[in-house]
Amino acid sequence: MSGSRTRTIDGNQAAAMVAHRLNEVIAIYPITPASPMGEWADEWSARGQTNLWGTVPQVIEMQSEGGAAGAVHGALQAGSLTTTFTASQGLLLMLPNMFKIAGELTPTVFHIAARSLACQALSIFGDHSDVMAARSTGFGMLFANSPQEVLDFALISQAASLEGRIPLLHVFDGFRTSHEVAKITVFDDDVMQAMIDDTWIHAHRARALSPDHPVLRGSSQNPDVYFQARETVNPYYDRMPAIVQGAMDRFAGLTGRQYHLFDWVGHPEAERVMILMGSGAEAAEETVHHLVRQGEKVGLVKVRLFRPFDAEALLEALPASVRRIAVLDRTKEPGADGEPLYKDVLGAIAGHHARGGRRFDELPLITGGRYGLSSKEFTPAMVKSVFDELSKLQPKHPFTIGIHDDVTHLSLDWDPAWRTDAHADSFQGVFYGLGSDGTVSANKNSIKIIGEGTDLHAQGYFVYDSKKSGAMTVSHLRFGPKPIHATYLIGDGEADFVACHQPVFLERYPMLDKAKAGAVFLLNSPEPPEKVWDSLPRRLQEQAIEKRIRIHAIDAYAVAQEAGMGRRINTIMQTCFFALSGILPRDEAIAAIKQAVEQTYGKKGRRIVEMNFQAIDAALAGLHPVPVPDKVTAERDLAPPVPPDAPRFVVEVTGEIIAGRGDAIPVSRLPADGTFPLGTAAWEKRNLALEIPVWDAELCTQCGKCPLVCPHSAIRSKIFPEALLKDAPPTFKSAPVRGKDFPKGLRIAYQVAPEDCTGCTLCVDICPIHDKSNVSRKALNMAPQPPLRAQEQDNWNFFLILPEYDRREIKITTIKGSMLMQPLFEFSGACVGCGETPYVRLASQLFGDRMLVANATGCSSIYGGNLPTTPWTVNPEGRGPAWNNSLFEDNAEFGFGMRVALDQQIEQACELLLRLRDRLDADLVEGLLHADQSTEAGLYEQRERIARLKAALGVIDEADARHLLELADVFARRSVWIIGGDGWAYDIGYGGLDHVLAAGRDVNILVLDTEVYSNTGGQTSKATPLGAVAKFSAGGKPTMKKDLALLAMDYENVYVAHVAYGARDVQTLRAFLEAEAHPGPSLIIAYSPCIAHGVDLSHNHRQQNLAVKSGHWPLFRFDPKRIARGDNPLRLDSGEPTLPYREFMQTETRFSMLWHTHPEAAERFAEQAQQEVRHRWHYYRQLAELDWDEHTSPAAEKARLKPETH
Amino acid sequence: MADLSTTWLGLELANPLVPSASPLSRDTDHALRLEDAGAAALVMYSLFEEKIDREAAHLQRFLHEQETGFAEATGFHPVPEQYKTCQEEYLEQLAALKARLAIPVIASLNGASLGGWIEYGRMLEEAGADALELNTYHLAANPDEDCATTEQRYLDLLGELRRHVQLPINMKISPYFSALAHFATRLETAGADGLSLFNRFYQPDIDLDTLDVAHRLELSRPHEALLRIRWAGLLHGKVNLSLGVTGGFHTGADALKALLAGADVVHLCSVLLQEGPDALARILTFLQDWMTEREYTSVEQLRGSLSQSHAVDPTAYERANYVEVLDSYSSPPGVWR
């Protein structure tokens, strides 16, 4: 037997380890939760790690999963061992090629971190709906249930596929298995060598396309032979189960780990049986063992090979005693008579019985149920409930488990308090941290220390937030002497250890719900020891007394500060965990933490090592027990997630999700078609900012820059009549409005939303006004939030009820004017200091009340539409942006479809209006048809006309009138916005974007260019600049950034703008106004500093300025309208680069990292990039200076002949 | 030919001209050209404490602890298996210079606080440095810090470095000490082998357009040399430290004055940045010619011959002629009349 080494890694890494060793070509594209597999593979190849045959696999990032599948197909046809990694929509994009690959009997393994498909909503979490959509492709499917099995099955599937020529999907549950860190036993190369027969590889290569022995493959077949040809593959599929079993048996011989196509667990004479596949089978196994020990005759079949489905092997796995079977599927096929596994099991058993088979004494009753969609918890209590249901005379069928279905009443009840005895001798700990405070890293480190330093088994699972700023993470850690099968979270009353790393969570989350009696509660608290108890809310105090919790506290931030570690508390809290948990002897644990610090920083950073050591020692000194008195002293309790006077939906649904109680929401409360109300982010007060800006009304010149740059719309300006001040709170600030654009007697206020501000400081940074006697004082200055919170909340509430200034009176071409418009995008969960959201908010201010938004999947769809809340909101009239996210790849087409529909509706409405014109006021009809809606006044008047039209139509009892009544609103000009990131626009959606630009319809495309796939964690896109280090470009991107603007300008009818609001805000504003006014397609490419650039986003504006000054981001506008005037359409808005490109590069980690890793390449790139930006500038300047009159330009001639059309 | 050799920090040098810490040593080719021009030793560019710290913090923030807590993106940057820090680059450059140059190479550490960075001294020693320069750039701007504390800061740093290395240590300090001569003896007691007079505090400037306090590099000017010459003269013979002068030495005449006052070596920087290696050769030639002309046989012979201890009028180094100097100035014709 070989390979008894253990590693503590997650499922993705386990899969990638084998895939990288056993392949030559790896084509990838990022998608959650599969991206880390590609990242590992890329990283290993970048480091020169070789595969089993001594060569470094080629890892190629493609423009989409469709592209990756095509590349895989090609590489396979050329004879290379090839793989890919994907999930969800990515797998769907691969389907066409998968049919081909399987149809050509090509051995390959795709590793799938199975994830929900986007239906009523996107979800990044795990279930089997993606792989079930691939059932008909001809790929086999092998399901791994744990990180250990992922490692093992990655090898078994590769061996079996090579031998049997059937391509396989190696499937494991997204997030649960892909991201679960576990201690697993790894195997050495000799195991892989023994599993893979060289003759299979030779055979694969021999089948490759080669001009030396040419063949034709991929022919087109007709009715005469296609059918027969399709049947030729049957023997391969017939043989495949035995081949897979053979591989499993060989593997068992090599490693001692035996698997079967269907693995039986349970009582040998079980009567009630559950059949399922994936990680849920682990929880089921734990439960079955427990129930059998209690004398129950229950059992479980773990399905390994789902395709090709071997009915006989299934039957053999089932004992003859079986009477009742519940088949559980982690997918939903609406409208089907049951989910796929259920149907297969039913077919196998019924078929067996119908053909006279007598495996069972009587035909078992088989029910089918759904569980675990989108990583919904699947716990032993739920397993028990399913077995209990099978005991009933008439078990429910179909059923669901894990939710409360009060609509179709399919769900089974379960007792959430029921537990198995699996964790009697294990340790379970739950840790609440902020995403950015290092809690997860520290916990991963603790798992490694324990997993690799002791004989204990270890498991870590991390629950993340849907927000990018101020995200909460909950780490669930288990350690124990026995293997851990718990594929579910640590439940209420189960934790031996609960840690709260952030004091602010105390008032939000009932963390001690998780604690069991006698548990330890570790709290990071700024309170002195004698005041810690009183700082706990009532519920926590009650639970602490009732459960006899042992509380220990430390002021981790003070310790960190003292040790010179700023706000990094991870090592400190980790030290406290080890000191209190007793999992390892204290000294041993502390030595291990210090060793880990040494390993990470070692000689690279002596000072950091020292600071950490100091912090570790100080943590031990600063940790103190908190006596738990016998009575509650708290004056306050947990804060409600949303105010009780919020709209009913917000209280019942949104609020419950915010509070972390979303699992308990019944089916009836959720919209059936995925439609949600806007404006919900305003109800979620996150209080992230330690400091907020304070306005100095006297110093302020009212330029309006602060609301423009605020990424969270948390600072606003409003102009209002002085008389309204009589109801103002005493500390509400305002000033007489300055400027000739406003009548006398008005006041202006700049007001901060104190609980929505994230404290990014960008408003203070942009403020151009300095106190003449103290330059460090500006018209906005940061001040601690807590003392201001109540006062400013009152002021904010007052500000909100002040009327909006009449849009018709606003000069929107000025920053000050446009910033008086109400943002209809507010308080998003985007990163603190996000460079994208100011653009989105600006569009919402200018056009939000008439906007339709098609939003590509990515950061903007997540901070825009990830539950519980949405930042998109409505104005006092109830108008606002109507928003939808279709997919990642189709966004341009999606928005285009909206435009086409609107155009059609306008045309139809005009026809109807003309048909009814005799019955209507002639001026009204004329006005409706020919309204000038280019200004807010024009829009207002048209809306008035529409109201009159509706009133008139209401009394005409005719079909045409009723029809026009439905369509009447389209007479008001709509603004279609197609919004997405560079991954969409430059890569996966470029084909569609190009087509939509060419099609000429009036759409506005906003590309939020972060120059990298931000949402999935910084993978290279074609927008990534030369020399930047990103995932998949570890050695620096060797090619130039694609010039999307130049490509678009080639169409000549497309409005194109290149903007960076932090460098020239007025240019950005003009570009938005011009783009929207342009009657054809418009493309705004907006420079968006991102945390992925490796720069603190409080320097966001500086970075935009550097980008412009260095020539990295030239500012320009290409307006086809100018062609009609005989002018050159291109206008450069920034000057010739004045800053050496190298100086820009060295301010951002994405570039500067290369000087640390590949200094020569960095120098080369810096030089090349300098030449390129210089060249591009000169090229643009020449374009901008071209003579562009009708004598020289065909476009101008066309424009002259056919002036602007609307 | 006069013997130009000198001893500095226990090192036997062919002459007293030693290029001080500057970007020139970043480039091995430049260093070779300095050696060819006659440089007797080379002080490398400084490894700055702040740079080490800033880089470490940066790497920690954006590499080792880049998690944001968002499910789809655990981080944004690939974490390289191998990367070079500024101190590793420094060590490499030190090794390269040692491999190519025959003259002694002195590594330079620049910082103001105790802490892990000082341990790099040991690595520099292991990498072959012939001596270490500890450039302590501390501005005593804190009203709560008295002069004793300020001095102690230097002594603690020196003591800490001394604990880690056997190499000669040259302290490069500023002139802003209330009892500089006494302080020099304390440095000697604390383990210093040499003293460089003086580092130049670059003065921040005010940008009238942006109202920012801006940093600007001003190269040294010849008038700065006199302060150094004076202190070399004051300290020569009173401390058992090698003395170097640095800051404003652009001509052979000034270099010669420093030697006469008591300096063991004269550091050159701005003049080399401005004029290249020929400036060094020019100064060397001037020294040789002047000594030959005046029949001096060696630097040894002339060094310190005009120090305060040996000067005809020792008070000239101190306060005595203050009044005469002030009164000797008269404005050019036409300025006041």
Side-chain angles (χ1 to χ4, degrees):
Chain A
M1 203 182 296
S2 170
S4 57
R5 287 182 300 118
T6 59
R7 295 277 307 271
T8 308
I9 56 176
D10 66 18
N12 272 334
Q13 192 177 349
M17 272 167 62
V18 177
H20 190 259
R21 291 295 277 162
L22 296 181
N23 283 285
E24 294 154 336
V25 175
I26 302 176
I28 52 177
Y29 188 76
I31 186 163
T32 308
S35 307
M37 287 187 276
E39 291 165 15
W40 281 118
D42 180 65
E43 204 171 311
W44 293 329
S45 279
R47 288 180 196 172
Q49 286 188 23
T50 56
N51 64 15
L52 201 57
W53 301 279
T55 72
V56 178
Q58 293 259 343
V59 181
I60 307 294
E61 184 193 15
M62 297 301 293
Q63 88 287 8
S64 73
E65 289 89 350
V72 167
H73 187 195
L76 288 167
Q77 282 300 311
S80 283
L81 300 172
T82 308
T83 190
T84 187
F85 318 107
T86 196
S88 191
Q89 314 300 133
L91 185 66
L92 296 199
L93 288 178
M94 292 187 175
L95 292 178
N97 261 292
M98 288 168 66
F99 281 92
K100 295 288 298 175
I101 290 166
E104 293 164 351
L105 291 171
T106 325
T108 181
V109 176
F110 290 7
H111 302 270
I112 310 297
R115 160 182 156 180
S116 306
L117 292 177
C119 300
Q120 84 284 358
L122 167 150
S123 171
I124 58 168
F125 294 99
D127 65 37
H128 302 160
S129 52
D130 53 1
V131 287
M132 289 304 152
R135 272 181 298 151
S136 58
T137 57
F139 267 58
M141 293 189 204
L142 190 64
F143 278 75
N145 302 347
S146 65
Q148 178 71 63
E149 292 181 9
V150 169
L151 183 90
D152 296 349
F153 287 13
L155 174 56
I156 289 169
S157 56
Q158 180 90 340
S161 179
L162 279 167
E163 185 181 358
R165 295 188 61 186
I166 305 293
L168 285 171
L169 293 183
H170 168 220
V171 184
F172 45 96
D173 290 355
F175 276 110
R176 182 67 247 182
T177 312
S178 64
H179 282 57
E180 177 185 313
V181 179
K183 181 175 178 174
I184 66 172
T185 304
V186 298
F187 40 73
D188 293 325
D189 284 355
D190 54 351
V191 173
M192 287 188 263
Q193 261 145 3
M195 285 291 291
I196 308 281
D197 190 330
D198 278 350
T199 58
W200 305 331
I201 297 172
H202 296 322
H204 172 62
R205 300 214 197 287
R207 292 189 293 269
L209 294 176
S210 164
D212 296 327
H213 44 86
V215 295
L216 172 113
R217 209 174 279 147
S219 60
S220 172
Q221 298 176 347
N222 301 320
D224 50 352
V225 300
Y226 179 91
F227 191 172
Q228 303 93 299
R230 201 74 196 93
E231 296 300 317
T232 55
V233 298
N234 296 352
Y236 293 88
Y237 285 85
D238 293 344
R239 282 197 295 271
M240 195 61 185
I243 289 172
V244 174
Q245 187 58 59
M248 287 173 163
D249 295 344
R250 280 202 311 287
F251 183 80
L254 293 161
T255 66
R257 294 193 290 281
Q258 176 72 62
Y259 301 102
H260 300 93
L261 303 184
F262 299 91
D263 267 314
W264 169 257
V265 176
H267 198 285
E269 291 167 5
E271 294 174 354
R272 285 169 294 146
V273 169
M274 182 183 286
I275 300 178
L276 76 170
M277 54 196 178
S279 63
E282 293 282 287
E285 179 170 355
E286 182 189 301
T287 315
V288 165
H289 285 310
H290 177 86
L291 293 174
V292 169
R293 278 196 294 276
Q294 297 202 327
E296 297 209 35
K297 291 186 171 178
V298 295
L300 159 74
V301 172
K302 298 195 275 188
V303 178
R304 310 300 201 170
L305 187 69
F306 175 62
R307 286 285 180 276
F309 194 83
D310 186 339
E312 273 181 35
L314 170 68
L315 287 160
E316 278 168 25
L318 288 163
S321 52
V322 173
R323 296 289 175 273
R324 299 282 175 93
I325 298 174
V327 185
L328 274 79
D329 275 89
R330 201 164 197 159
T331 187
K332 179 176 174 65
E333 292 200 0
D337 182 32
E339 270 63 35
L341 183 60
Y342 162 75
K343 298 292 284 281
D344 285 353
V345 171
L346 186 68
I349 294 175
H352 165 80
H353 201 76
R355 285 189 292 274
R358 288 296 173 262
R359 172 84 186 160
F360 309 104
D361 303 336
E362 59 185 69
L363 182 64
L365 176 76
I366 303 172
T367 63
R370 290 184 291 277
Y371 75 105
L373 295 197
S374 181
S375 291
K376 174 69 75 189
E377 277 287 272
F378 184 59
T379 65
M382 295 172 192
V383 176
K384 163 92 165 30
S385 161
V386 173
F387 281 123
D388 290 347
E389 186 69 18
L390 287 182
S391 297
K392 291 181 182 168
L393 198 60
Q394 286 293 334
K396 201 178 259 186
H397 169 80
F399 67 87
T400 56
I401 180 74
I403 57 169
H404 299 286
D405 177 2
D406 55 346
V407 174
T408 45
H409 305 286
L410 295 178
S411 58
L412 305 182
D413 293 331
W414 73 97
D415 173 10
W418 192 85
R419 299 280 182 271
T420 69
D421 57 8
H423 304 298
D425 51 2
S426 66
F427 172 92
Q428 305 190 84
V430 185
F431 304 74
Y432 293 81
L434 265 184
S436 51
D437 70 8
T439 297
V440 170
S441 313
N443 282 327
K444 284 184 177 170
N445 183 244
S446 298
I447 298 166
K448 272 197 196 305
I449 287 173
I450 295 167
E452 294 176 8
T454 73
D455 290 334
L456 293 176
H457 289 271
Q459 180 202 55
Y461 188 72
F462 307 93
V463 178
Y464 297 97
D465 208 325
S466 55
K467 301 286 198 297
K468 289 163 187 275
S469 53
M472 184 176 76
T473 56
V474 187
S475 309
H476 295 249
L477 268 56
R478 289 188 175 100
F479 306 104
K482 290 187 293 210
I484 299 163
H485 293 290
T487 47
Y488 49 89
L489 303 176
I490 295 167
D492 287 350
E494 285 193 289
D496 300 274
F497 189 94
V498 177
C500 171
H501 289 193
Q502 295 293 335
V504 68
F505 293 163
L506 277 179
E507 66 179 71
R508 287 197 226 157
Y509 304 105
M511 286 169 283
L512 288 181
D513 285 6
K514 295 277 181 211
K516 70 167 157 197
V520 171
F521 180 45
L522 168 63
L523 173 64
N524 170 20
S525 169
E527 302 292 341
E530 66 280 6
K531 290 199 173 156
V532 172
W533 172 257
D534 291 333
S535 73
L536 303 183
R538 171 170 287 272
R539 177 157 169 178
L540 265 71
Q541 286 192 348
E542 284 169 354
Q543 288 175 316
I545 293 168
E546 188 196 321
K547 296 183 180 182
R548 302 179 314 284
I549 303 293
R550 291 171 290 149
I551 304 177
H552 293 261
I554 181 170
D555 186 353
Y557 281 115
V559 172
Q561 198 68 40
E562 203 143 303
M565 306 206 7
R567 299 191 61 78
R568 293 190 302 279
I569 58 166
N570 49 355
T571 317
I572 294 160
M573 297 308 287
Q574 187 188 13
T575 304
C576 295
F577 158 68
F578 275 113
L580 295 172
S581 65
I583 296 176
L584 291 177
R586 195 168 169 149
D587 293 345
E588 207 177 293
I590 302 308
I593 301 173
K594 288 186 173 175
Q595 195 189 343
V597 171
E598 275 279 2
Q599 265 171 7
T600 308
Y601 302 109
K603 67 172 186 175
K604 303 282 185 195
R606 285 311 311 164
R607 185 91 122 206
I608 291 184
V609 170
E610 273 180 7
M611 286 191 304
N612 274 284
F613 282 11
Q614 204 184 326
I616 290 165
D617 297 336
L620 294 171
L623 184 62
H624 57 85
V626 177
V628 177
D630 52 9
K631 66 175 186 359
V632 170
T633 60
E635 287 169 1
R636 62 190 175 86
D637 207 347
L638 295 170
V642 294
D645 59 342
R648 194 171 153 204
F649 184 87
V650 172
V651 172
E652 290 184 349
V653 178
T654 313
E656 288 302 284
I657 304 173
I658 291 170
R661 296 188 291 262
D663 282 331
I665 297 174
V667 172
S668 63
R669 290 202 179 156
L670 290 166
D673 60 358
T675 306
F676 285 83
L678 297 190
T680 43
W683 296 105
E684 185 181 23
K685 298 301 174 194
R686 303 201 298 143
N687 281 297
L688 297 178
L690 300 173
E691 293 190 323
I692 56 172
V694 175
W695 181 46
D696 186 328
E698 285 175 18
L699 211 51
C700 179
T701 58
Q702 306 170 6
C703 67
K705 285 177 187 286
C706 50
L708 177 84
V709 303
C710 178
H712 290 84
S713 315
I715 185 164
R716 310 259 177 101
S717 57
K718 214 179 241 186
I719 285 178
F720 55 92
E722 186 157 7
L724 295 177
L725 274 181
K726 67 179 175 9
D727 298 325
T731 57
F732 184 78
K733 284 183 272 187
S734 65
V737 68
R738 299 182 185 194
K740 56 180 171 33
D741 298 335
F742 302 95
K744 298 273 179 234
L746 294 178
R747 296 188 72 83
I748 188 165
Y750 285 85
Q751 177 64 44
V752 174
E755 298 185 299
D756 301 296
C757 171
T758 64
C760 71
T761 71
L762 287 172
C763 55
V764 175
D765 180 67
I766 203 77
C767 178
I769 306 305
H770 296 271
D771 182 342
K772 291 210 159 36
S773 301
N774 175 3
V775 172
S776 68
R777 220 174 102 76
K778 291 182 155 192
L780 280 171
N781 301 287
M782 298 303 283
Q785 188 250 28
L788 292 168
R789 181 167 156 186
Q791 158 196 324
E792 290 308 313
Q793 193 54 37
D794 282 349
N795 290 336
W796 172 251
N797 288 336
F798 175 73
F799 179 87
L800 287 180
I801 57 169
L802 289 172
E804 292 294 329
Y805 194 63
D806 189 337
R807 293 171 71 93
R808 290 174 294 173
E809 303 299 322
I810 292 173
K811 191 173 175 190
I812 57 171
T813 51
T814 64
I815 296 293
K816 178 177 183 171
S818 59
M819 287 305 110
L820 293 170
M821 297 175 137
Q822 185 188 0
L824 298 178
F825 179 89
E826 59 185 11
F827 320 136
S828 76
C831 293
V832 175
C834 175
E836 293 188 356
T837 46
Y839 297 110
V840 179
R841 195 219 46 250
L842 176 62
S844 85
Q845 287 173 289
L846 299 172
F847 322 113
D849 59 355
R850 53 196 177 88
M851 235 176 152
L852 272 81
V853 182
N855 207 133
T857 308
C859 275
S860 53
S861 75
I862 297 302
Y863 60 63
N866 200 346
L867 291 193
T869 60
T870 177
W872 296 99
T873 191
V874 295
N875 67 11
E877 292 86 52
R879 292 197 183 92
W883 185 93
N884 199 344
N885 155 240
S886 173
L887 297 168
F888 191 14
E889 61 272 20
D890 71 340
N891 192 48
E893 301 92 311
F894 184 50
F896 180 77
M898 293 179 185
R899 180 76 260 171
V900 173
L902 288 174
D903 289 348
Q904 159 65 15
Q905 286 164 20
I906 292 165
E907 202 173 313
Q908 217 177 335
C910 290
E911 285 166 7
L912 288 165
L913 188 65
L914 289 172
R915 262 191 254 161
L916 290 161
R917 69 186 313 163
D918 295 344
R919 321 282 296 276
L920 298 164
D921 178 76
D923 287 347
L924 176 65
V925 172
E926 193 60 21
L928 282 165
L929 290 174
H930 301 294
D932 173 6
Q933 299 187 63
S934 62
T935 62
E936 286 292 330
L939 287 161
Y940 181 88
E941 283 161 19
Q942 182 75 338
R943 286 193 185 118
E944 295 278 293
R945 286 187 201 101
I946 291 167
R948 282 167 51 209
L949 173 68
K950 284 180 174 175
L953 291 171
V955 296
I956 304 174
D957 187 19
E958 279 180 26
D960 278 354
R962 285 191 294 273
H963 195 178
L964 184 55
L965 198 53
E966 286 166 14
L967 289 171
D969 284 330
V970 298
F971 283 116
R973 187 162 154 243
R974 301 290 207 241
S975 190
V976 174
W977 284 78
I978 297 172
I979 299 176
D982 48 281
W984 157 67
Y986 287 67
D987 287 357
I988 196 169
Y990 178 67
L993 182 130
D994 176 64
H995 194 84
V996 170
L997 290 178
R1001 299 269 185 157
D1002 184 7
V1003 293
N1004 307 290
I1005 302 172
L1006 173 60
V1007 179
L1008 303 159
D1009 194 347
T1010 62
E1011 311 194 311
V1012 78
Y1013 286 84
S1014 297
N1015 193 52
T1016 47
Q1019 295 85 1
T1020 307
S1021 79
K1022 282 201 285 295
T1024 303
L1026 176 83
V1029 174
K1031 288 177 184 165
F1032 308 158
S1033 294
K1037 182 163 172 273
T1039 53
M1040 281 300 289
K1041 179 185 174 85
K1042 166 171 160 179
D1043 196 338
L1044 185 61
L1046 197 61
L1047 292 167
M1049 285 190 270
D1050 202 37
Y1051 282 121
E1052 291 191 348
N1053 65 327
V1054 178
Y1055 178 91
V1056 185
H1058 223 227
V1059 301
Y1061 73 91
R1064 251 183 106 176
D1065 46 21
V1066 175
Q1067 190 252 4
T1068 301
L1069 174 62
R1070 289 201 179 133
F1072 273 69
L1073 292 169
E1074 288 168 0
E1076 209 275 339
H1078 177 61
S1082 305
L1083 175 68
I1084 301 174
I1085 307 173
Y1087 190 59
S1088 306
C1090 172
I1091 189 68
H1093 295 180
V1095 65
D1096 192 319
L1097 287 179
S1098 60
H1099 301 311
N1100 181 335
H1101 307 138
R1102 182 192 72 187
Q1103 294 314 113
Q1104 294 190 48
N1105 266 312
L1106 293 176
V1108 171
K1109 283 184 181 162
S1110 65
H1112 176 69
W1113 198 267
L1115 303 177
F1116 55 83
R1117 287 167 292 153
F1118 179 96
D1119 191 348
K1121 195 168 66 193
R1122 287 198 277 268
I1123 296 174
R1125 297 198 297 259
D1127 294 335
N1128 188 308
L1130 179 60
R1131 178 175 295 171
L1132 297 179
D1133 295 320
S1134 60
E1136 189 160 359
T1138 53
L1139 183 86
Y1141 195 75
R1142 176 189 301 269
E1143 286 186 26
F1144 164 62
M1145 293 175 91
Q1146 286 179 337
T1147 60
E1148 299 191 345
T1149 312
R1150 57 173 171 161
F1151 297 111
S1152 64
M1153 198 58 222
L1154 208 57
W1155 269 278
H1156 292 284
T1157 55
H1158 303 84
E1160 283 164 17
E1163 284 297 326
R1164 201 175 60 245
F1165 285 137
E1167 229 160 84
Q1168 199 183 332
Q1170 181 66 70
Q1171 278 176 353
E1172 295 282 0
V1173 296
R1174 209 178 289 133
H1175 168 74
R1176 187 167 47 144
W1177 170 259
H1178 286 294
Y1179 188 63
Y1180 281 160
R1181 192 168 63 185
Q1182 287 171 62
L1183 286 181
E1185 287 170 357
L1186 283 178
D1187 188 11
W1188 204 292
D1189 59 33
E1190 67 266 30
H1191 304 298
T1192 58
S1193 155
E1197 175 63 10
K1198 267 189 277 174
R1200 192 182 65 79
L1201 293 172
K1202 193 177 136 196
E1204 289 177 47
T1205 52
H1206 286 269
Chain B
M1 290 279 279
D3 175 10
L4 294 185
S5 71
T6 184
T7 306
W8 175 61
L9 304 172
L11 304 167
E12 298 296 330
L13 304 186
N15 66 61
L17 299 186
V18 177
S20 59
S22 82
L24 291 170
S25 52
R26 286 181 190 277
D27 186 319
T28 311
D29 187 49
H30 288 164
L32 282 166
R33 289 173 64 193
L34 288 171
E35 184 179 38
D36 292 346
L42 179 70
V43 183
M44 279 181 74
Y45 62 94
S46 283
L47 182 56
F48 279 85
E49 173 192 9
E50 291 88 343
K51 186 168 179 188
I52 294 169
D53 283 355
R54 200 170 50 229
E55 185 183 271
H58 192 79
L59 292 172
Q60 174 161 333
R61 165 73 181 81
F62 292 108
L63 215 61
H64 299 297
E65 292 186 5
Q66 48 175 310
E67 265 188 16
T68 60
F70 179 61
E72 300 206 58
T74 48
F76 294 99
H77 295 281
V79 180
E81 197 176 33
Q82 293 291 333
Y83 62 89
K84 259 187 235 162
T85 57
C86 57
Q87 62 268 27
E88 285 168 319
E89 266 172 31
Y90 193 88
L91 288 170
E92 276 186 17
Q93 180 59 9
L94 171 60
L97 291 173
K98 280 302 294 174
R100 300 287 300 281
L101 299 178
I103 54 175
V105 177
I106 293 89
S108 173
L109 287 170
N110 190 323
S113 68
L114 286 171
W117 72 280
I118 206 102
E119 287 181 27
Y120 294 124
R122 188 187 301 146
M123 294 180 201
L124 297 171
E125 181 168 32
E126 285 162 5
D130 294 288
L132 290 182
E133 177 179 271
L134 181 59
N135 187 346
T136 306
Y137 191 131
H138 171 72
L139 203 63
N142 179 356
D144 295 332
E145 184 177 305
D146 62 16
C147 51
T149 313
T150 299
E151 287 191 2
Q152 195 56 44
R153 179 189 287 272
Y154 284 70
L155 297 167
D156 289 347
L157 263 178
L158 172 61
E160 183 65 14
L161 183 60
R162 180 40 83 211
R163 235 167 36 81
H164 285 95
V165 299
Q166 304 295 319
L167 288 175
I169 299 175
N170 186 49
M171 288 296 287
K172 186 168 179 176
I173 59 171
S174 76
Y176 306 118
F177 286 90
S178 43
L180 184 58
H182 174 72
F183 181 57
T185 63
R186 295 188 71 194
L187 289 172
E188 184 185 336
T189 310
D193 299 280
L195 198 56
S196 270
L197 308 168
F198 296 106
N199 54 20
R200 299 174 62 246
F201 282 2
Y202 296 106
Q203 307 303 336
D205 198 356
I206 289 173
D207 185 323
L208 291 177
D209 288 331
T210 62
L211 294 185
D212 283 333
V213 178
H215 296 277
R216 201 153 60 88
L217 176 70
E218 286 279 355
L219 295 177
S220 72
R221 304 218 178 113
H223 71 267
E224 295 175 48
L226 286 177
L227 177 72
R228 280 80 183 164
I229 293 167
R230 176 188 211 174
W231 276 99
L234 284 168
L235 292 176
H236 177 80
K238 294 175 190 160
V239 291
N240 195 20
L241 291 164
S242 291
L243 295 178
V245 287
T246 176
F249 291 88
H250 292 218
T251 64
D254 284 340
L256 194 64
K257 290 174 196 172
L259 296 172
L260 289 164
D264 297 295
V265 293
V266 175
H267 293 296
L268 307 173
C269 178
S270 295
V271 70
L272 300 177
L273 289 170
Q274 284 167 318
E275 297 175 31
D278 291 349
L280 195 143
R282 169 171 58 75
I283 294 170
L284 202 57
T285 308
F286 181 90
L287 286 184
Q288 186 63 260
D289 292 351
W290 188 88
M291 287 171 70
T292 308
E293 195 179 311
R294 307 286 174 108
E295 298 180 353
Y296 278 91
T297 56
S298 68
V299 162
E300 177 72 33
Q301 189 185 19
L302 69 76
R303 188 175 48 230
S305 57
L306 263 172
S307 66
Q308 190 189 32
S309 315
H310 298 147
V312 178
D313 175 13
T315 62
Y317 275 103
E318 296 183 30
R319 202 181 146 78
N321 56 356
Y322 191 31
V323 177
E324 288 85 342
V325 170
L326 284 178
D327 288 348
S328 68
Y329 189 78
S330 53
S331 299
V335 171
W336 289 100
R337 272 182 295 161

